[in-house]
């Protein structure tokens, strides 16, 4: 039985470095990095999940554990503000936003 070894904890540059040197058979990348590998013929598109998922907009935020422990109220204010901004965007027309 074959298995998959998952490599985690790499930043984007290290991920690309490892892949380009043959240390990984598969890689999950955002654009433009994915397109650059294809253009340089160093990688091939296997699957594009956007076709199955449809339009998907997301944001990611990260903090160090110590910051989270010491700033829970500030983080809650930020998340609440971000959510309010998202609600506002959803209630507007394309013309209003652009």
């Amino acid at each position: 039985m074959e298995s998959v070894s998952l490599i985690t904890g790499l930043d984007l540059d290290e991920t690309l470095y490892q892949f380009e040197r043959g240390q990984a058979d598969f890689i999950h990348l955002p654009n433009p990095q994915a397109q650059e590998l294809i253009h340089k013929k160093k990688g091939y598109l296997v699957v594009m999940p956007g076709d199955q998922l449809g339009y998907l907009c997301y944001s990611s935020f990260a903090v160090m554990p110590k910051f989270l422990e010491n700033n829970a109220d500030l983080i809650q204010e930020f998340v609440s503000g971000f959510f309010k901004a998202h609600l506002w965007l959803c209630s507007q027309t394309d013309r209003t936003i652009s």
Side-chain angles (χ1 to χ4, degrees), residues 29-95:
L29 288 174
N31 274 320
Q33 290 81 10
Q35 289 298 323
E36 289 173 7
L37 282 177
I38 294 167
H39 179 73
K40 293 190 288 186
K41 300 197 183 309
K42 291 187 176 186
Y44 300 92
L45 181 64
V46 175
V47 66
M48 200 163 63
D51 292 342
Q52 291 82 26
L53 299 174
Y55 178 75
L56 178 65
C57 181
Y58 67 91
S59 296
S60 298
F61 304 101
V63 297
M64 298 301 289
K66 190 72 169 172
F67 186 86
L68 179 61
E69 291 171 20
N70 295 331
N71 298 284
D73 292 340
L74 177 63
I75 292 170
Q76 183 59 57
E77 288 178 34
F78 174 81
V79 172
S80 296
F82 187 81
F83 178 68
K84 288 177 186 176
H86 177 76
L87 291 177
W88 180 85
L89 283 170
C90 291
S91 71
Q92 303 303 308
T93 65
D94 294 346
R95 184 170 291 206

